[in-house]
Amino acid sequence: MKEASCISQHIEDLAVFLDPVAFDRRHDISLAKRRDAAWREAANRVGPARPQD
């Protein structure tokens, strides 16, 4: 369980790094899509490695 929380913290930190403006203005609804995109990109970068073909 500790590993999962460490990974999620790393994803959160990376998402904030990728788009700091969107997370600085956390209550701005117009930036919600940018926050979602930053979360997806961070999760893709941190997520488990995909097997190579």
Side-chain angles (χ1 to χ4, degrees):
M1 187 65 97
K2 185 176 181 180
E3 182 179 329
S5 108
C6 181
I7 291 171
S8 62
Q9 182 63 48
H10 187 62
I11 291 171
E12 181 179 349
D13 293 343
L14 182 57
V16 171
F17 174 77
L18 292 172
D19 196 345
V21 173
F23 288 94
D24 282 344
R25 297 157 144 194
R26 197 171 301 272
H27 300 291
D28 189 342
I29 295 172
S30 66
L31 296 174
K33 287 184 180 181
R34 282 178 55 176
R35 286 188 293 273
D36 289 345
W39 274 104
R40 276 192 309 276
E41 178 63 25
N44 287 336
R45 290 185 185 192
V46 173
R50 295 184 184 112
Q52 298 293 325
D53 290 334

